[in-house]
Amino acid sequence: MAGATAVGAGVAVPLGHQEAMILAAAEFDRMAAQLQALSPRDWAQPTVCELWDVRAMAAHVLGMAEAQASFRQFAHDFRAAGKRSSGKMIDEMSAAQVRERTAMTPGAIVSRLAAVAPKAVRARRRTPAPVRWAVRLKNDPPFDAERWRYGFLVDTIFTRDTWMHRLDISRATGRPMELTAGHDGRLIADVVTEWARRHGQPFTLTLTGTAGGQWRSGEAGEHLQLDALDFCWIVAARQPGTGLMATKVPF
């Protein structure tokens, strides 16, 4: 089945490398601004990731940014995860990042993230095309049957991960998430396109809110209407979904 078709002014074309890097830079800026605005009480709030409070989640975001900025740091994190590989590699890697930044204050996390984010984006932007296309990586469940191109991580997953944690922190603290159609709407449109490809069934989807839009594929199928953030929350496995909403998308 063909991919989803955006209705009206929506965007359904895949992200190109240059556009992806613009989105990556903007997402890091929004995350840093979000963290800067938190109160001391906010930093201690539990998140949907049950082992992490907001401070631990921010430490993970910082750790991933530092790993993106430096291959040496990425290799260190990967080795640290391998020493404790009792579960999913990405979970072990994330846990190592949080563990090694336990002593950092919220202020230090924010300052360091603001400093390293441009370096992370620059390193991702400079990743050679042959590496982005030729290198394929194994994945943890539920995507363990797939072999993703490294470019999928560079252009898509690294930014989705930061974006989803910005949503996690927003919901953990009760503070509104900065949203625009041009940034968040573009990221969500890309998620919808992948979701449609993964389930391959006809549907009509209306996502409400600033970052929403309308999509359809085929002439029948499920008719879905929900908030754009709730859509991402469900397909990212933060909450169970039924029907086509049970289809998972990597973040």
Side-chain angles (χ1 to χ4, degrees):
M1 171 169 293
T5 300
V7 178
V11 180
V13 297
L15 292 176
H17 183 58
Q18 293 306 315
E19 182 188 10
M21 294 304 97
I22 293 171
L23 293 169
E27 185 54 40
F28 274 134
D29 286 346
R30 292 189 180 198
M31 173 60 82
Q34 181 190 52
L35 296 178
Q36 183 67 51
L38 297 181
S39 70
R41 181 177 180 276
D42 290 333
W43 284 88
Q45 293 304 306
T47 72
V48 68
C49 301
E50 60 183 24
L51 297 179
W52 293 350
D53 60 11
V54 169
R55 198 213 67 84
M57 182 169 282
H60 157 67
V61 171
L62 171 60
M64 285 302 298
E66 292 185 322
Q68 293 165 31
S70 165
F71 181 77
R72 178 177 295 181
Q73 183 65 45
F74 183 89
H76 166 79
D77 292 353
F78 191 82
R79 288 194 300 270
K83 293 177 181 178
R84 296 173 177 246
S85 56
S86 57
K88 296 180 181 180
M89 177 58 72
I90 188 59
D91 290 345
E92 297 291 348
M93 186 173 179
S94 299
Q97 291 166 342
V98 173
R99 187 169 57 249
E100 293 183 357
R101 292 163 180 81
T102 300
M104 294 185 71
T105 65
I109 291 173
V110 175
S111 296
R112 181 58 186 160
L113 179 62
V116 77
K119 299 176 183 177
V121 176
R122 184 164 58 249
R124 288 162 61 182
R125 181 180 290 114
R126 293 177 176 176
T127 305
V131 174
R132 298 199 312 270
W133 284 93
V135 175
R136 290 182 177 267
L137 304 171
K138 295 181 180 180
N139 303 296
D140 291 320
F143 307 107
D144 46 313
E146 304 174 10
R147 294 294 181 268
W148 295 344
R149 289 188 173 94
Y150 183 62
F152 184 51
L153 298 184
V154 168
D155 290 350
T156 301
I157 295 299
F158 289 156
T159 301
R160 280 187 192 169
D161 180 67
T162 305
W163 185 90
M164 179 53 66
H165 289 319
R166 189 158 60 91
L167 176 56
D168 292 336
I169 292 170
S170 171
R171 293 192 164 182
T173 60
R175 291 177 175 265
M177 181 178 178
E178 180 184 357
L179 295 170
T180 62
H183 177 75
D184 306 271
R186 182 65 178 106
L187 292 172
I188 291 173
D190 189 56
V191 172
V192 171
T193 300
E194 182 172 348
W195 169 80
R197 177 182 60 79
R198 285 181 174 277
H199 65 64
Q201 301 299 310
F203 70 93
T204 299
L205 174 68
T206 299
L207 298 182
T208 59
T210 301
Q214 293 181 288
W215 294 264
R216 63 170 174 258
S217 182
E219 298 301 325
E222 290 187 35
H223 286 247
L224 303 166
Q225 179 170 332
L226 68 164
D227 177 78
L229 300 184
D230 288 341
F231 172 84
C232 292
W233 192 257
I234 294 169
V235 300
R238 262 52 175 174
Q239 177 181 325
T242 59
L244 296 184
M245 292 299 298
T247 302
K248 298 297 180 282
V249 177
F251 277 80

